[in-house]
Amino acid sequence: AREEKQDKPEPPKKPKAPSISDYPMKWYYFMIYGLLIVSAVGSFISSLISFADGSVIMGLISIAIGIDALVTRSALANLRSSGPGQLLAYFAVSYGVNIVDCLIEYNDQPILFREMGLGEVYLWMVAIYLIAALIQIGCNASYFGKRKPLFTN
């Protein structure tokens, strides 16, 4: 009877589904419990400032970005397959709005301000935003790409 048990092959084991514990997730937790919440609050405050300055369009855009931060946070927290893509889109839109805003502010400056060289501050801000956007989007694409099996809901 012992020989019969040894001759039976073991059934194949099912591959283990990946879990959060299989990956270092500090950045993920920072995104869902810190950065996206603070970004949403900052966007809502920015909208109030924009409305107070009379810029209704910028105020509405700030509200939309704040809502998007919370929607993106929810998608990431619930491990939805759309979460990482939503995060990259959120960063692209957020940085894009800041870049456009800087260019508008640069064009709205008095000529004297630009002639004194102070207008270049806005152009430097555009360059910094662009570089930061590329770095942040690239790093997050890599980070979440390595964790793609987790986002299946």
Side-chain angles (χ1 to χ4, degrees):
R2 281 187 170 180
E3 288 178 26
E4 289 177 21
K5 281 188 175 183
Q6 290 177 352
D7 291 338
K8 282 186 176 180
E10 289 187 30
K13 294 181 180 180
K14 291 182 183 178
K16 180 186 159 200
S19 74
I20 283 186
S21 62
D22 295 337
Y23 299 91
M25 300 295 283
K26 289 179 183 176
W27 182 249
Y28 166 79
Y29 290 121
F30 171 70
M31 296 300 287
I32 64 171
Y33 293 120
L35 184 73
L36 289 170
I37 292 170
V38 170
S39 294
V41 170
S43 290
F44 296 137
I45 292 170
S46 177
S47 73
L48 295 174
I49 294 168
S50 294
F51 288 134
D53 286 344
S55 179
V56 175
I57 293 173
M58 197 61 197
L60 294 174
I61 290 171
S62 294
I63 288 173
I65 289 173
I67 291 170
D68 187 38
L70 295 176
V71 170
T72 299
R73 185 225 171 267
S74 176
L76 286 173
N78 292 311
L79 299 174
R80 292 198 182 108
S81 58
S82 63
Q86 281 179 253
L87 179 68
L88 299 180
Y90 166 77
F91 285 136
V93 168
S94 184
Y95 278 111
V97 166
N98 284 321
I99 288 170
V100 169
D101 189 42
C102 280
L103 292 172
I104 290 170
E105 289 293 326
Y106 173 74
N107 287 327
D108 286 347
Q109 294 303 316
I111 293 173
L112 179 62
F113 188 78
R114 280 189 258 165
E115 286 177 357
M116 292 171 52
L118 300 174
E120 290 182 17
V121 169
Y122 289 105
L123 299 179
W124 278 106
M125 287 174 63
V126 167
I128 290 168
Y129 279 134
L130 187 58
I131 292 167
L134 294 174
I135 291 170
Q136 192 163 30
I137 290 169
C139 289
N140 278 291
S142 173
Y143 178 89
F144 285 102
K146 293 174 185 174
R147 288 152 181 83
K148 188 175 182 173
L150 297 175
F151 296 89
T152 57
N153 294 335

